Amino acid sequence: MANSADVLNHLLGHPPKSNYPIAYNFLVPNLKGLQNFLKAKEDSTSHNEDPASITSPQDPNSPPTPPPTPKRDGDEEPAPITSTQDPNEMPSSNTDINDPVQPAKSTSSAPTTEISLFTAATEAFSKANTNCTIAESLEKCRAIVSQAKKHGIRVRGYVSVALGCPYEGPNVPPSKVAEITASLLEMGVDEVSVADTTGMGTARKTQELLKGLFAAGISSKDLALHFHDTFGQALVNVVVGLEHGIRAFDSSVGGLGGCPFSKGATGNVSTEDLVHCLHSLGVRTGVDVEKMARIGKWISEELGKPNDSRAGKAILARLSER
């Protein structure tokens, strides 16, 4: 199996053609991981005459949107803020969700790279997943972000078990998630993906979580949502997020993934299901869902895993009848 450096070199040396920008994300668990990433990037640029940019289209050194003043008791609930120009632009929260929006094509198809780092919303999961406390994990994140910014690298943070923990139960305080998310943004993380790692999230809990994040002064355009589909609620939660102004959602082709620390947890919401849902709402993502369904079938077979995308399998069945 190819290691991360080999994968990075191949992707940047042989970028696929695309009308929209592609950002390749690499998990960096510690400073050593960042050093390995930088070395692989350096090796890649030395072998390619026209190397891909290591930065994202957004300036990685630009700070996250300053949080507004937190809402006081009795104040009117702040309206969700939508993301600005995004490659897969969706309707803003003050427009009809059914109005189709066409994403603008990128003027460059060169891929970009970014790194991701993890922390958790509960102490028990943090110790199981990263072998350290939440405070210790945040200090590690701070050191990684500091070095990454010196090299102009975009950083994405993740807060695991935001809607339920396999050790501490389903009721994770939104205020704790907001506190950790704010800490990541304040240290310079460009975007925080708030993750339902166990799939325990429901529409009501997702709504309460988002209200807690907004009440803490966190902008919706600094957030992404990450839902596992353990209980079949991922798409429901996506729609709740969409209605609250979130415009970035994680997914995995074929519904691949899982969580080794949460018994029974399935993978992320499948990309095919997510795209089908968004298209049904009038959103133009720029994604060919039929091609995505074929990719889901192929990668599932390659890995010897079941294809967990309902939309993907339905699309393939329809295509086979043509």
Side-chain angles (χ1 to χ4, degrees):
M1 178 181 293
N3 61 33
S4 296
D6 293 335
V7 173
L8 175 63
N9 286 330
H10 179 79
L11 290 174
L12 298 185
H14 307 84
K17 294 180 180 179
S18 174
N19 291 326
Y20 305 95
I22 300 173
Y24 295 110
N25 191 294
F26 291 83
L27 171 62
V28 174
N30 47 41
L31 279 174
K32 183 178 179 180
L34 177 60
Q35 291 165 359
N36 291 339
F37 170 82
L38 292 172
K39 184 178 185 304
K41 174 61 183 173
E42 183 180 354
D43 292 343
S44 173
T45 56
S46 66
H47 288 89
N48 294 291
E49 295 181 0
D50 186 22
S53 169
I54 195 168
T55 60
S56 73
Q58 175 184 348
D59 180 3
N61 294 313
S62 64
T65 304
T69 303
K71 180 176 71 68
R72 297 172 297 180
D73 291 340
D75 286 350
E76 208 174 67
E77 184 69 27
I81 304 171
T82 62
S83 174
T84 56
Q85 292 295 324
D86 183 271
N88 290 335
E89 185 179 357
M90 299 179 188
S92 65
S93 60
N94 59 1
T95 60
D96 186 343
I97 198 172
N98 292 309
D99 288 343
V101 177
Q102 176 64 51
K105 290 189 177 182
S106 172
T107 56
S108 172
S109 60
T112 61
T113 54
E114 60 187 28
I115 63 170
S116 60
L117 42 80
F118 284 78
T119 185
T122 68
E123 292 291 353
F125 193 86
S126 180
K127 290 175 182 176
N129 193 38
T130 60
N131 197 32
C132 61
T133 66
I134 294 174
E136 290 168 342
S137 74
L138 287 173
E139 284 308 305
K140 290 181 179 180
C141 289
R142 190 180 304 278
I144 294 170
V145 173
S146 176
Q147 288 300 311
K149 291 303 173 181
K150 290 178 181 179
H151 290 86
I153 303 171
R154 187 176 191 271
V155 183
R156 197 170 199 251
Y158 286 82
V159 181
S160 300
V161 297
L163 286 166
C165 175
Y167 306 110
E168 297 187 21
N171 299 314
V172 177
S175 59
K176 184 63 177 178
V177 179
E179 176 188 336
I180 296 168
T181 300
S183 294
L184 290 171
L185 292 170
E186 287 167 1
M187 68 177 69
V189 169
D190 297 279
E191 179 181 70
V192 177
S193 181
V194 181
D196 181 17
T197 313
T198 61
M200 295 182 187
T202 62
R204 181 176 179 178
K205 289 173 64 176
T206 300
Q207 185 177 47
E208 291 172 350
L209 173 62
L210 291 171
K211 285 183 178 179
L213 290 164
F214 296 151
I218 297 168
S219 168
S220 62
K221 66 181 179 180
D222 290 329
L223 296 173
L225 292 176
H226 177 112
F227 295 113
H228 285 240
D229 205 27
T230 310
F231 294 96
Q233 297 299 296
L235 287 179
V236 175
N237 297 334
V238 163
V239 173
V240 172
L242 195 63
E243 290 174 338
H244 284 73
I246 305 300
R247 296 296 181 262
F249 300 92
D250 297 340
S251 64
S252 64
V253 66
L256 293 170
C259 176
F261 304 109
S262 181
K263 189 175 181 179
T266 60
N268 292 112
V269 60
S270 84
T271 304
E272 303 94 306
D273 290 3
L274 176 61
V275 172
H276 176 76
C277 175
L278 293 175
H279 288 179
S280 75
L281 296 172
V283 177
R284 296 180 182 176
T285 64
V287 177
D288 186 324
V289 73
E290 291 185 357
K291 290 182 179 178
M292 188 61 66
R294 292 189 179 101
I295 293 171
K297 179 178 183 295
W298 169 78
I299 191 61
S300 297
E301 291 174 350
E302 288 291 310
L303 296 174
K305 301 282 187 180
N307 184 347
D308 287 332
S309 172
R310 292 184 290 272
K313 288 185 287 189
I315 290 167
L316 290 171
R318 189 184 71 234
L319 291 175
S320 67
E321 297 175 352
R322 290 180 180 176

